Structures are given as C-alpha cells and as structure tokens.
Amino acid sequence: MRMRLLLALALAAEGVLCHQDPLDSPLNQLMQAEDRRGSTEADILTLRDGPKAEGSSLRRAAVRALGRLERADLLPDILPLLEDADASVRAAATIAVAQALSRGPGGAGFEPLRVSMTTDPDASVAGAAATSIGRLRYADNEAARQAEAALLGSAQEGLALLATSDLVRPEAGERIAQLLGIARGLEALFRLRPDLTAPPETFDLWVELAALGRDDANDPWRAQVRFLAVSAMVNARAELTDELLLALQRDPHVGVRRLAAGVIGSTRDYGSLLVARALQDSEGRVRYELLRTLSRRVPERGACSRLLAGLRDAVAAVRLLTIDALAGCDGAIATLERIASNIEAANEADWHEPAHALVALATMNTALARPHAESAGHHPTWQMRMYAAHAATASGWVDLLRLLAADEQANVASIAIPGLSAAAGHGGDELYLNALASDDGQLLMAAAAALTGGEQAVGEQAVEQLLAALQRVTALERETSRDPRRALLEAIGSLGSADQAEAVGAYLRDFDPVIANTAADVLEQWTGRRPSPDPQPLPPSPFPSAAEIEDIEEIRAVVRMQSGDEFALRLYPFDAPSNAARFVRLAREGYFDGLTFHRVVPNFVIQGGSPGANEFAGDGPYTRDEITDRSHRRGTVGISTRGRDTGDAQIFVNLIDNVRLDFNYTIFAEVIEGMDAVEAILEGTLIDTVLIERAQYR
C-alpha cells in the first residue's frame, strides 16, 4: 500500500489523476493500448497523445510504448521527446528511436541520437543515446563508420572527464553511466556488423576501457564497462596479445575471464601458460568456455589430452561438455564405453553422463555402442530413451528407431521419427501416421515432416489424418499451437490437391493470421489463385489491472525444485505487466508444479515451464513482447518466444551476461537469491512448485 500511495501522490503532483483508482485511467489506458499493439486508430491516438501529457510519468510511458510497437512511421511522434524537460523522458525517447527503427533501415535515427549523445547535459541520456546509435541498422560500412567515430569521440571525452582529479563522486558516477552506454553501443555495432573491422584507435579505446577499475572488485558498473569492451573486441575478431589476455585472466569480473578463455581456447597452443591458467580458474563458467572452444579443435594433435581434464571437473556442465567433445578423440573410446556402461544403474537424477557418453560412442564405434543403446531404449527414465533415439539416429539403427518412434513419451518419439525418416524413408509411414493422433506440437511437426520427406509414397489416408489432426488441435483455440498447425497445413499442401480446397478454405478465417495466410498459400499452390485471408482473432487476454500491477511490485516468487534447491525472483511488473501478471497467476494456480527445465545450455540459459517439456508446448494465449533497455545480465529472467509477440509462459534464466539478447526478449524478473541453485540445474530438473510471497523492497 505504501508504494501505491507514493505513486498516487507522484501522479497527482503531475496532474494525471482522475476520480478513479489513481493507477487506472491515463497510465493504465496507455499500457492497454500498447498491449493491443496499437491495433485500432483509437489506440494509436491514445499513444500519440501520451507524449503531450503534463506528467512526465505519462510521457515516459507513452514514448516507451511508441518505441515498443517497432513502427518507423511513429518516429515523428518520438523525436520531439528527445528535447523533453525531464531527463528520464529524454532517455526513454533515445531507446524508443532505435526500437521504432529496429525492423528496417535506421539511418533516420542517427543524427538526432548523435545530437543527444553529444549535447544533452544529462550523462544518462547521453549514454542511452550512445546505446541506441550502436543498435541502428546502417545501410553500409561508411554509415557505420560515422556511428563508430561518434561513439569513439564521446568515449574519449568521457574518459578525459573521468580522469579529472577534481571530479566529485556523483559526477564520476554519471560519467561511468555514460561510458557504459557507449560501451553497449560499440559492442552492438560490431556484433550486428561482423564485416566491420576495428581501426587502431577503436582498439586502443577498448583496451583502455577493458582496464577501467580492474583493481576494484566491488565496482559492478566499471566491471560491466570492461566486459562490454572485451565483448566488442571479440565481436570485431581483434587480435589479442598474450600480455592483454593475461591481464584479462586476472580480472575480478568472471565474464571478462570467460571471454578471454574463449579467445585462448580458439587461438592458443594447448600447452601454453594461458590455457593452463584458464583450466585452473576458480569459476566453472571460465573452464567451460575454454574447453568449449578447445573442443572445436579436437582433430588437432594435443587437444584430446587437454579435454580429458574436464572429466574430473567439479561442475557437471563441464563434465558433460567434455564427454560430448570426446566423440572426436579415438583414444577416448574405452573411457566413453566405461561411462555408458552405467546406463542400467542410472536413475532420474544421474542419467546425464551415461546418456551423453552413449551418443558420443555411437558416432565412433557402433558395435560397442549398440548394447548400451538397447539398455537406454528400454530405460524407465524417458530422457535416457530420448538420448537412445539420438544415438540410434547417429548410427542408423532402424529397428531401435522404430521402437522409439512409437514411444509413449512424445519427446522420445519426436527425436526418433526424423531419424527413422532419414534411415528408412517412408518405411515408417505407419508410425508417422499414428503420431498424428497426438496433440503434442513437436511430435506433430516431426510426423508432418516425415510424411512429406523424400519421394512421397503416402496417399489420401495421410491427407485425411493430417486434416483431422489440424482440426483437432485448432479446436483447442490455443494461439501457441501456431508452429505445429502451420506444419500440418504445409504437409496437406504438399500431399493433397484441390479436392481438399473446401477443408483448407475454412482456415482462411482462422484465429491466427499466420495460419490464415498459410491456408491462402496452400490454396494458391493448388489453384493458381490466392484468396484473401480473413482471420478472426480470439478475444485478447485481460490486461492486468492497476491494483494487480501494484501488488506484483510487492511480491517475490520462489521457484522450488524437487531436489529441495530453490531460488527467488523479484518481478518487474511496470516493465512487463502482461508477462509478470501471467507468471504470477499461473504460479498461484499451480501451473508450474511438476514441470521441468527442459533446455539447459551452459554459459547461455536454462529454459523451462513447458507442459510438454519441449519448445512447442506452453500456455494457450500469446503475450506481447515488453522490451525495455534493461540488459540481459546474469540472473535476469526472460520470456521464451519463437518470433515477435509469441510468449507462451516458458521462462529462461540468463546464466551469463547475454547482451546479444538485449532489446529482443522481454525481461520480467531477476534472481535475487539462489543463483547457485540455478547453476546446479541440469536438463530435466523438476520444479516442485512456485511460491508467491510478500516482500519488502527498498
């Protein structure tokens, strides 16, 4: 209640309240118009009027919303806010400029952003403008060079001011914020334009930024500047000397050492001091990165001996990586067979190493791998059977693939079917047709692809069953069924004919415009004429009320594993109201209870919350992307999508600073306790429950 009262008073002072609940009306109307993606003229008018409001909170929310629509035609509504009296509004406007231009040429945004970066008196605005300059899509390298020169000049000025001996502490903090924005801009510029090479003056700047505050392990902002500078060097494929790499290995920021380890593993001799130091780093993330890059060089003499050290690592992810990498080492066959021999004794908690060893062994010696694959194919843990399907695919074992293609667990069958299709073609059609009885999206996609692969031997029966599957899944009215339904329609288009035009024509009015357009494509393929789709969208999900948003601001979510480990999240409902509200609602309903983290990519993300334990099963309606300038730093929690505005309640936790995800995926929460528990999660780890608790944040 205290936060609600304070916000109400702040909005009242800005003259944005009416007689209703203080958070309902202007601000809530803006957020709802944005959530509907400005789908009506009234919504667009609401958003365009927002920047004219007297209250800076409304102007800030409005300009952010205009940017999040990602429409270049709204740029004229955004640009005036670059000169707003309130610095926070100006900063939001600089981010909105780049977001509005994110789907096309960005040249129109460069000059106004350059002016903001070089003339705005507020360092946070200048830094935000620098970040956006780096994100713009430039027509050619000449335009990108202009952006680079502007960023370089501002960085040099900022460093010079920071070095001023009489700079007081608050001013120093402002300069660090500005340098952080510039570093983000340079990192993005060279990541998004891999053909751009760094001239000596830019490289020298990166070296200077990479040393900023290195002796102070307790300064996270300077550490982030260093990390971004090294990231930019890596993006630009700059040549790093041994002296520089040694300095980076001594950095207190794990991310800097991780990046250095990646360069060392890719470019340095296996016996070098740099490799030895990285192998001895106290952080598993650093050791993992070294071995990950070394594994790409397995055919080179000496690589395998270095990799073997990873089998004794204390971190499970490092051991699993090592097992996978040993598939290229002839001398490791006995080691892999020894690990794979533990398959029968493995249980739900310790299946990972023998399963990975089986797949690695299958690529090297099928005779030795086969008996272990048989054991895995009948194992009670379905993930073990799924890895048996991977091994069978690698070895072309048709009989085992047929067994696993009929597995009751959809994730097992969906791996086996593509393998069977590759090995036996349409010899497995009966199994593919049987799979069409499932409602699992991933399995339906696998079956549809197998039925249409190679020389098509199936007939009318397949088309009838594909249509029946499409009709059955469509009746569920789940927006998140888009991918499998599109796969089914495309298979119908490939195997069917104009005889099915009436059945397919019904989907011209589907609730999903993508499906309606796919139906039109199929009919055009059959008839030579493309009808006009007329999609009929489902009613939108209710937008959270002001009271709900405020309530979420004062809670925390505790994700408890069945192992007993747990981690706690702070949610950001004003950044991502729709996604935060859905997460809380589903948690309270018990939706996540018993689900898994099905995707674990060390030094990237863990992903979970799927009822099907795969990428293609989630909550029914889509939520919209709610992009902010918050960076995907380690511990932030985002919403998994398969394209814009396709959130399905699956979540991911960033295991490292994933700046390449910035401005593309919604962040709705952050881990505030238990990051060690997050690190311990392996593929298939089960969620016991997600508890919603009251919290006090200062």
Side-chain angles (χ1 to χ4, degrees), residues 179-200:
L179 287 172
L180 182 58
I182 294 168
R184 286 185 81 183
L186 282 168
E187 187 279 333
L189 182 68
F190 281 84
R191 171 167 43 83
L192 297 174
R193 295 197 71 89
D195 55 337
L196 199 63
T197 56

mmCIF file with all atom_site columns, all heavy atoms in Angstrom, residues 179-200:
data_model
loop_
_atom_site.group_PDB
_atom_site.id
_atom_site.type_symbol
_atom_site.label_atom_id
_atom_site.label_alt_id
_atom_site.label_comp_id
_atom_site.label_asym_id
_atom_site.label_entity_id
_atom_site.label_seq_id
_atom_site.pdbx_PDB_ins_code
_atom_site.Cartn_x
_atom_site.Cartn_y
_atom_site.Cartn_z
_atom_site.occupancy
_atom_site.B_iso_or_equiv
_atom_site.pdbx_formal_charge
_atom_site.auth_seq_id
_atom_site.auth_comp_id
_atom_site.auth_asym_id
_atom_site.auth_atom_id
_atom_site.pdbx_PDB_model_num
ATOM 1   N N   . LEU A 1 179 ? 29.757 6.126   -20.041 1.00 0.00 ? 179 LEU A N   1
ATOM 2   C CA  . LEU A 1 179 ? 30.683 5.181   -20.670 1.00 0.00 ? 179 LEU A CA  1
ATOM 3   C C   . LEU A 1 179 ? 30.047 3.808   -20.846 1.00 0.00 ? 179 LEU A C   1
ATOM 4   O O   . LEU A 1 179 ? 30.311 3.110   -21.824 1.00 0.00 ? 179 LEU A O   1
ATOM 5   C CB  . LEU A 1 179 ? 31.962 5.066   -19.839 1.00 0.00 ? 179 LEU A CB  1
ATOM 6   C CG  . LEU A 1 179 ? 32.908 6.266   -19.897 1.00 0.00 ? 179 LEU A CG  1
ATOM 7   C CD1 . LEU A 1 179 ? 34.035 6.107   -18.885 1.00 0.00 ? 179 LEU A CD1 1
ATOM 8   C CD2 . LEU A 1 179 ? 33.486 6.427   -21.308 1.00 0.00 ? 179 LEU A CD2 1
ATOM 9   N N   . LEU A 1 180 ? 29.199 3.435   -19.900 1.00 0.00 ? 180 LEU A N   1
ATOM 10  C CA  . LEU A 1 180 ? 28.504 2.159   -20.014 1.00 0.00 ? 180 LEU A CA  1
ATOM 11  C C   . LEU A 1 180 ? 27.607 2.150   -21.244 1.00 0.00 ? 180 LEU A C   1
ATOM 12  O O   . LEU A 1 180 ? 27.566 1.169   -22.005 1.00 0.00 ? 180 LEU A O   1
ATOM 13  C CB  . LEU A 1 180 ? 27.688 1.898   -18.754 1.00 0.00 ? 180 LEU A CB  1
ATOM 14  C CG  . LEU A 1 180 ? 26.929 0.573   -18.663 1.00 0.00 ? 180 LEU A CG  1
ATOM 15  C CD1 . LEU A 1 180 ? 27.877 -0.607  -18.794 1.00 0.00 ? 180 LEU A CD1 1
ATOM 16  C CD2 . LEU A 1 180 ? 26.158 0.484   -17.359 1.00 0.00 ? 180 LEU A CD2 1
ATOM 17  N N   . GLY A 1 181 ? 26.893 3.244   -21.484 1.00 0.00 ? 181 GLY A N   1
ATOM 18  C CA  . GLY A 1 181 ? 26.053 3.340   -22.675 1.00 0.00 ? 181 GLY A CA  1
ATOM 19  C C   . GLY A 1 181 ? 26.867 3.308   -23.957 1.00 0.00 ? 181 GLY A C   1
ATOM 20  O O   . GLY A 1 181 ? 26.483 2.672   -24.944 1.00 0.00 ? 181 GLY A O   1
ATOM 21  N N   . ILE A 1 182 ? 28.010 3.989   -23.943 1.00 0.00 ? 182 ILE A N   1
ATOM 22  C CA  . ILE A 1 182 ? 28.883 3.989   -25.126 1.00 0.00 ? 182 ILE A CA  1
ATOM 23  C C   . ILE A 1 182 ? 29.433 2.593   -25.380 1.00 0.00 ? 182 ILE A C   1
ATOM 24  O O   . ILE A 1 182 ? 29.489 2.127   -26.531 1.00 0.00 ? 182 ILE A O   1
ATOM 25  C CB  . ILE A 1 182 ? 30.021 5.009   -24.936 1.00 0.00 ? 182 ILE A CB  1
ATOM 26  C CG1 . ILE A 1 182 ? 29.451 6.435   -24.895 1.00 0.00 ? 182 ILE A CG1 1
ATOM 27  C CG2 . ILE A 1 182 ? 31.056 4.887   -26.049 1.00 0.00 ? 182 ILE A CG2 1
ATOM 28  C CD1 . ILE A 1 182 ? 30.441 7.482   -24.425 1.00 0.00 ? 182 ILE A CD1 1
ATOM 29  N N   . ALA A 1 183 ? 29.843 1.911   -24.300 1.00 0.00 ? 183 ALA A N   1
ATOM 30  C CA  . ALA A 1 183 ? 30.365 0.557   -24.453 1.00 0.00 ? 183 ALA A CA  1
ATOM 31  C C   . ALA A 1 183 ? 29.289 -0.382  -25.008 1.00 0.00 ? 183 ALA A C   1
ATOM 32  O O   . ALA A 1 183 ? 29.577 -1.241  -25.854 1.00 0.00 ? 183 ALA A O   1
ATOM 33  C CB  . ALA A 1 183 ? 30.872 0.038   -23.104 1.00 0.00 ? 183 ALA A CB  1
ATOM 34  N N   . ARG A 1 184 ? 28.044 -0.215  -24.550 1.00 0.00 ? 184 ARG A N   1
ATOM 35  C CA  . ARG A 1 184 ? 26.944 -1.018  -25.109 1.00 0.00 ? 184 ARG A CA  1
ATOM 36  C C   . ARG A 1 184 ? 26.771 -0.724  -26.596 1.00 0.00 ? 184 ARG A C   1
ATOM 37  O O   . ARG A 1 184 ? 26.540 -1.632  -27.402 1.00 0.00 ? 184 ARG A O   1
ATOM 38  C CB  . ARG A 1 184 ? 25.629 -0.730  -24.379 1.00 0.00 ? 184 ARG A CB  1
ATOM 39  C CG  . ARG A 1 184 ? 25.497 -1.294  -22.999 1.00 0.00 ? 184 ARG A CG  1
ATOM 40  C CD  . ARG A 1 184 ? 24.106 -1.042  -22.410 1.00 0.00 ? 184 ARG A CD  1
ATOM 41  N NE  . ARG A 1 184 ? 23.111 -2.003  -22.892 1.00 0.00 ? 184 ARG A NE  1
ATOM 42  C CZ  . ARG A 1 184 ? 21.832 -1.972  -22.573 1.00 0.00 ? 184 ARG A CZ  1
ATOM 43  N NH1 . ARG A 1 184 ? 21.363 -1.000  -21.787 1.00 0.00 ? 184 ARG A NH1 1
ATOM 44  N NH2 . ARG A 1 184 ? 20.988 -2.877  -23.040 1.00 0.00 ? 184 ARG A NH2 1
ATOM 45  N N   . GLY A 1 185 ? 26.871 0.540   -26.958 1.00 0.00 ? 185 GLY A N   1
ATOM 46  C CA  . GLY A 1 185 ? 26.707 0.916   -28.353 1.00 0.00 ? 185 GLY A CA  1
ATOM 47  C C   . GLY A 1 185 ? 27.789 0.318   -29.237 1.00 0.00 ? 185 GLY A C   1
ATOM 48  O O   . GLY A 1 185 ? 27.508 -0.207  -30.321 1.00 0.00 ? 185 GLY A O   1
ATOM 49  N N   . LEU A 1 186 ? 29.054 0.395   -28.789 1.00 0.00 ? 186 LEU A N   1
ATOM 50  C CA  . LEU A 1 186 ? 30.148 -0.159  -29.589 1.00 0.00 ? 186 LEU A CA  1
ATOM 51  C C   . LEU A 1 186 ? 30.047 -1.676  -29.678 1.00 0.00 ? 186 LEU A C   1
ATOM 52  O O   . LEU A 1 186 ? 30.317 -2.259  -30.736 1.00 0.00 ? 186 LEU A O   1
ATOM 53  C CB  . LEU A 1 186 ? 31.486 0.251   -28.976 1.00 0.00 ? 186 LEU A CB  1
ATOM 54  C CG  . LEU A 1 186 ? 31.932 1.691   -29.255 1.00 0.00 ? 186 LEU A CG  1
ATOM 55  C CD1 . LEU A 1 186 ? 33.105 2.078   -28.364 1.00 0.00 ? 186 LEU A CD1 1
ATOM 56  C CD2 . LEU A 1 186 ? 32.301 1.863   -30.728 1.00 0.00 ? 186 LEU A CD2 1
ATOM 57  N N   . GLU A 1 187 ? 29.668 -2.330  -28.581 1.00 0.00 ? 187 GLU A N   1
ATOM 58  C CA  . GLU A 1 187 ? 29.512 -3.782  -28.617 1.00 0.00 ? 187 GLU A CA  1
ATOM 59  C C   . GLU A 1 187 ? 28.457 -4.184  -29.639 1.00 0.00 ? 187 GLU A C   1
ATOM 60  O O   . GLU A 1 187 ? 28.663 -5.098  -30.438 1.00 0.00 ? 187 GLU A O   1
ATOM 61  C CB  . GLU A 1 187 ? 29.127 -4.276  -27.215 1.00 0.00 ? 187 GLU A CB  1
ATOM 62  C CG  . GLU A 1 187 ? 29.088 -5.786  -27.066 1.00 0.00 ? 187 GLU A CG  1
ATOM 63  C CD  . GLU A 1 187 ? 27.810 -6.420  -27.584 1.00 0.00 ? 187 GLU A CD  1
ATOM 64  O OE1 . GLU A 1 187 ? 26.755 -5.740  -27.604 1.00 0.00 ? 187 GLU A OE1 1
ATOM 65  O OE2 . GLU A 1 187 ? 27.862 -7.598  -28.001 1.00 0.00 ? 187 GLU A OE2 1
ATOM 66  N N   . ALA A 1 188 ? 27.312 -3.492  -29.620 1.00 0.00 ? 188 ALA A N   1
ATOM 67  C CA  . ALA A 1 188 ? 26.232 -3.819  -30.557 1.00 0.00 ? 188 ALA A CA  1
ATOM 68  C C   . ALA A 1 188 ? 26.633 -3.521  -31.998 1.00 0.00 ? 188 ALA A C   1
ATOM 69  O O   . ALA A 1 188 ? 26.330 -4.291  -32.914 1.00 0.00 ? 188 ALA A O   1
ATOM 70  C CB  . ALA A 1 188 ? 24.978 -3.032  -30.190 1.00 0.00 ? 188 ALA A CB  1
ATOM 71  N N   . LEU A 1 189 ? 27.316 -2.403  -32.206 1.00 0.00 ? 189 LEU A N   1
ATOM 72  C CA  . LEU A 1 189 ? 27.703 -2.005  -33.566 1.00 0.00 ? 189 LEU A CA  1
ATOM 73  C C   . LEU A 1 189 ? 28.548 -3.085  -34.225 1.00 0.00 ? 189 LEU A C   1
ATOM 74  O O   . LEU A 1 189 ? 28.300 -3.471  -35.383 1.00 0.00 ? 189 LEU A O   1
ATOM 75  C CB  . LEU A 1 189 ? 28.473 -0.684  -33.518 1.00 0.00 ? 189 LEU A CB  1
ATOM 76  C CG  . LEU A 1 189 ? 28.912 -0.112  -34.868 1.00 0.00 ? 189 LEU A CG  1
ATOM 77  C CD1 . LEU A 1 189 ? 27.703 0.347   -35.676 1.00 0.00 ? 189 LEU A CD1 1
ATOM 78  C CD2 . LEU A 1 189 ? 29.874 1.061   -34.661 1.00 0.00 ? 189 LEU A CD2 1
ATOM 79  N N   . PHE A 1 190 ? 29.535 -3.599  -33.501 1.00 0.00 ? 190 PHE A N   1
ATOM 80  C CA  . PHE A 1 190 ? 30.433 -4.594  -34.103 1.00 0.00 ? 190 PHE A CA  1
ATOM 81  C C   . PHE A 1 190 ? 29.825 -5.997  -34.086 1.00 0.00 ? 190 PHE A C   1
ATOM 82  O O   . PHE A 1 190 ? 30.223 -6.844  -34.882 1.00 0.00 ? 190 PHE A O   1
ATOM 83  C CB  . PHE A 1 190 ? 31.789 -4.570  -33.392 1.00 0.00 ? 190 PHE A CB  1
ATOM 84  C CG  . PHE A 1 190 ? 32.656 -3.425  -33.854 1.00 0.00 ? 190 PHE A CG  1
ATOM 85  C CD1 . PHE A 1 190 ? 32.520 -2.162  -33.303 1.00 0.00 ? 190 PHE A CD1 1
ATOM 86  C CD2 . PHE A 1 190 ? 33.578 -3.610  -34.871 1.00 0.00 ? 190 PHE A CD2 1
ATOM 87  C CE1 . PHE A 1 190 ? 33.298 -1.100  -33.738 1.00 0.00 ? 190 PHE A CE1 1
ATOM 88  C CE2 . PHE A 1 190 ? 34.361 -2.560  -35.321 1.00 0.00 ? 190 PHE A CE2 1
ATOM 89  C CZ  . PHE A 1 190 ? 34.216 -1.299  -34.761 1.00 0.00 ? 190 PHE A CZ  1
ATOM 90  N N   . ARG A 1 191 ? 28.870 -6.249  -33.214 1.00 0.00 ? 191 ARG A N   1
ATOM 91  C CA  . ARG A 1 191 ? 28.185 -7.546  -33.237 1.00 0.00 ? 191 ARG A CA  1
ATOM 92  C C   . ARG A 1 191 ? 27.214 -7.619  -34.402 1.00 0.00 ? 191 ARG A C   1
ATOM 93  O O   . ARG A 1 191 ? 27.095 -8.665  -35.065 1.00 0.00 ? 191 ARG A O   1
ATOM 94  C CB  . ARG A 1 191 ? 27.461 -7.780  -31.910 1.00 0.00 ? 191 ARG A CB  1
ATOM 95  C CG  . ARG A 1 191 ? 26.541 -8.983  -31.898 1.00 0.00 ? 191 ARG A CG  1
ATOM 96  C CD  . ARG A 1 191 ? 26.088 -9.355  -30.505 1.00 0.00 ? 191 ARG A CD  1
ATOM 97  N NE  . ARG A 1 191 ? 25.713 -8.217  -29.709 1.00 0.00 ? 191 ARG A NE  1
ATOM 98  C CZ  . ARG A 1 191 ? 24.522 -7.609  -29.746 1.00 0.00 ? 191 ARG A CZ  1
ATOM 99  N NH1 . ARG A 1 191 ? 23.589 -8.049  -30.578 1.00 0.00 ? 191 ARG A NH1 1
ATOM 100 N NH2 . ARG A 1 191 ? 24.254 -6.584  -28.959 1.00 0.00 ? 191 ARG A NH2 1
ATOM 101 N N   . LEU A 1 192 ? 26.494 -6.538  -34.644 1.00 0.00 ? 192 LEU A N   1
ATOM 102 C CA  . LEU A 1 192 ? 25.481 -6.536  -35.692 1.00 0.00 ? 192 LEU A CA  1
ATOM 103 C C   . LEU A 1 192 ? 26.081 -6.372  -37.088 1.00 0.00 ? 192 LEU A C   1
ATOM 104 O O   . LEU A 1 192 ? 25.410 -6.644  -38.081 1.00 0.00 ? 192 LEU A O   1
ATOM 105 C CB  . LEU A 1 192 ? 24.463 -5.417  -35.423 1.00 0.00 ? 192 LEU A CB  1
ATOM 106 C CG  . LEU A 1 192 ? 23.666 -5.568  -34.118 1.00 0.00 ? 192 LEU A CG  1
ATOM 107 C CD1 . LEU A 1 192 ? 22.804 -4.345  -33.870 1.00 0.00 ? 192 LEU A CD1 1
ATOM 108 C CD2 . LEU A 1 192 ? 22.817 -6.826  -34.148 1.00 0.00 ? 192 LEU A CD2 1
ATOM 109 N N   . ARG A 1 193 ? 27.337 -5.906  -37.156 1.00 0.00 ? 193 ARG A N   1
ATOM 110 C CA  . ARG A 1 193 ? 28.026 -5.773  -38.444 1.00 0.00 ? 193 ARG A CA  1
ATOM 111 C C   . ARG A 1 193 ? 29.339 -6.546  -38.378 1.00 0.00 ? 193 ARG A C   1
ATOM 112 O O   . ARG A 1 193 ? 30.419 -5.968  -38.187 1.00 0.00 ? 193 ARG A O   1
ATOM 113 C CB  . ARG A 1 193 ? 28.286 -4.305  -38.773 1.00 0.00 ? 193 ARG A CB  1
ATOM 114 C CG  . ARG A 1 193 ? 27.023 -3.480  -39.000 1.00 0.00 ? 193 ARG A CG  1
ATOM 115 C CD  . ARG A 1 193 ? 27.368 -2.176  -39.721 1.00 0.00 ? 193 ARG A CD  1
ATOM 116 N NE  . ARG A 1 193 ? 27.728 -2.402  -41.104 1.00 0.00 ? 193 ARG A NE  1
ATOM 117 C CZ  . ARG A 1 193 ? 26.855 -2.422  -42.124 1.00 0.00 ? 193 ARG A CZ  1
ATOM 118 N NH1 . ARG A 1 193 ? 25.565 -2.239  -41.900 1.00 0.00 ? 193 ARG A NH1 1
ATOM 119 N NH2 . ARG A 1 193 ? 27.269 -2.625  -43.352 1.00 0.00 ? 193 ARG A NH2 1
ATOM 120 N N   . PRO A 1 194 ? 29.282 -7.874  -38.530 1.00 0.00 ? 194 PRO A N   1
ATOM 121 C CA  . PRO A 1 194 ? 30.502 -8.681  -38.406 1.00 0.00 ? 194 PRO A CA  1
ATOM 122 C C   . PRO A 1 194 ? 31.545 -8.390  -39.479 1.00 0.00 ? 194 PRO A C   1
ATOM 123 O O   . PRO A 1 194 ? 32.699 -8.803  -39.338 1.00 0.00 ? 194 PRO A O   1
ATOM 124 C CB  . PRO A 1 194 ? 29.976 -10.123 -38.522 1.00 0.00 ? 194 PRO A CB  1
ATOM 125 C CG  . PRO A 1 194 ? 28.650 -10.008 -39.185 1.00 0.00 ? 194 PRO A CG  1
ATOM 126 C CD  . PRO A 1 194 ? 28.089 -8.692  -38.774 1.00 0.00 ? 194 PRO A CD  1
ATOM 127 N N   . ASP A 1 195 ? 31.143 -7.689  -40.552 1.00 0.00 ? 195 ASP A N   1
ATOM 128 C CA  . ASP A 1 195 ? 32.102 -7.348  -41.602 1.00 0.00 ? 195 ASP A CA  1
ATOM 129 C C   . ASP A 1 195 ? 32.879 -6.077  -41.278 1.00 0.00 ? 195 ASP A C   1
ATOM 130 O O   . ASP A 1 195 ? 33.784 -5.682  -42.020 1.00 0.00 ? 195 ASP A O   1
ATOM 131 C CB  . ASP A 1 195 ? 31.379 -7.168  -42.941 1.00 0.00 ? 195 ASP A CB  1
ATOM 132 C CG  . ASP A 1 195 ? 30.247 -6.136  -42.873 1.00 0.00 ? 195 ASP A CG  1
ATOM 133 O OD1 . ASP A 1 195 ? 29.733 -5.896  -41.759 1.00 0.00 ? 195 ASP A OD1 1
ATOM 134 O OD2 . ASP A 1 195 ? 29.891 -5.585  -43.919 1.00 0.00 ? 195 ASP A OD2 1
ATOM 135 N N   . LEU A 1 196 ? 32.556 -5.434  -40.158 1.00 0.00 ? 196 LEU A N   1
ATOM 136 C CA  . LEU A 1 196 ? 33.212 -4.191  -39.778 1.00 0.00 ? 196 LEU A CA  1
ATOM 137 C C   . LEU A 1 196 ? 34.477 -4.513  -38.985 1.00 0.00 ? 196 LEU A C   1
ATOM 138 O O   . LEU A 1 196 ? 34.432 -5.261  -38.009 1.00 0.00 ? 196 LEU A O   1
ATOM 139 C CB  . LEU A 1 196 ? 32.257 -3.354  -38.920 1.00 0.00 ? 196 LEU A CB  1
ATOM 140 C CG  . LEU A 1 196 ? 32.540 -1.861  -38.781 1.00 0.00 ? 196 LEU A CG  1
ATOM 141 C CD1 . LEU A 1 196 ? 32.443 -1.160  -40.123 1.00 0.00 ? 196 LEU A CD1 1
ATOM 142 C CD2 . LEU A 1 196 ? 31.570 -1.238  -37.783 1.00 0.00 ? 196 LEU A CD2 1
ATOM 143 N N   . THR A 1 197 ? 35.590 -3.965  -39.399 1.00 0.00 ? 197 THR A N   1
ATOM 144 C CA  . THR A 1 197 ? 36.846 -4.186  -38.683 1.00 0.00 ? 197 THR A CA  1
ATOM 145 C C   . THR A 1 197 ? 37.197 -2.942  -37.875 1.00 0.00 ? 197 THR A C   1
ATOM 146 O O   . THR A 1 197 ? 36.872 -1.822  -38.261 1.00 0.00 ? 197 THR A O   1
ATOM 147 C CB  . THR A 1 197 ? 37.994 -4.489  -39.661 1.00 0.00 ? 197 THR A CB  1
ATOM 148 O OG1 . THR A 1 197 ? 38.097 -3.420  -40.616 1.00 0.00 ? 197 THR A OG1 1
ATOM 149 C CG2 . THR A 1 197 ? 37.736 -5.796  -40.399 1.00 0.00 ? 197 THR A CG2 1
ATOM 150 N N   . ALA A 1 198 ? 37.857 -3.165  -36.767 1.00 0.00 ? 198 ALA A N   1
ATOM 151 C CA  . ALA A 1 198 ? 38.162 -2.058  -35.857 1.00 0.00 ? 198 ALA A CA  1
ATOM 152 C C   . ALA A 1 198 ? 39.499 -1.420  -36.207 1.00 0.00 ? 198 ALA A C   1
ATOM 153 O O   . ALA A 1 198 ? 40.521 -2.109  -36.253 1.00 0.00 ? 198 ALA A O   1
ATOM 154 C CB  . ALA A 1 198 ? 38.188 -2.566  -34.426 1.00 0.00 ? 198 ALA A CB  1
ATOM 155 N N   . PRO A 1 199 ? 39.526 -0.100  -36.422 1.00 0.00 ? 199 PRO A N   1
ATOM 156 C CA  . PRO A 1 199 ? 40.799 0.589   -36.650 1.00 0.00 ? 199 PRO A CA  1
ATOM 157 C C   . PRO A 1 199 ? 41.594 0.685   -35.348 1.00 0.00 ? 199 PRO A C   1
ATOM 158 O O   . PRO A 1 199 ? 41.046 0.467   -34.261 1.00 0.00 ? 199 PRO A O   1
ATOM 159 C CB  . PRO A 1 199 ? 40.365 1.973   -37.140 1.00 0.00 ? 199 PRO A CB  1
ATOM 160 C CG  . PRO A 1 199 ? 39.010 2.177   -36.561 1.00 0.00 ? 199 PRO A CG  1
ATOM 161 C CD  . PRO A 1 199 ? 38.381 0.824   -36.488 1.00 0.00 ? 199 PRO A CD  1
ATOM 162 N N   . PRO A 1 200 ? 42.880 1.019   -35.424 1.00 0.00 ? 200 PRO A N   1
ATOM 163 C CA  . PRO A 1 200 ? 43.719 1.050   -34.214 1.00 0.00 ? 200 PRO A CA  1
ATOM 164 C C   . PRO A 1 200 ? 43.173 1.939   -33.099 1.00 0.00 ? 200 PRO A C   1
ATOM 165 O O   . PRO A 1 200 ? 43.245 1.571   -31.923 1.00 0.00 ? 200 PRO A O   1
ATOM 166 C CB  . PRO A 1 200 ? 45.065 1.572   -34.739 1.00 0.00 ? 200 PRO A CB  1
ATOM 167 C CG  . PRO A 1 200 ? 45.087 1.180   -36.176 1.00 0.00 ? 200 PRO A CG  1
ATOM 168 C CD  . PRO A 1 200 ? 43.674 1.283   -36.648 1.00 0.00 ? 200 PRO A CD  1
#
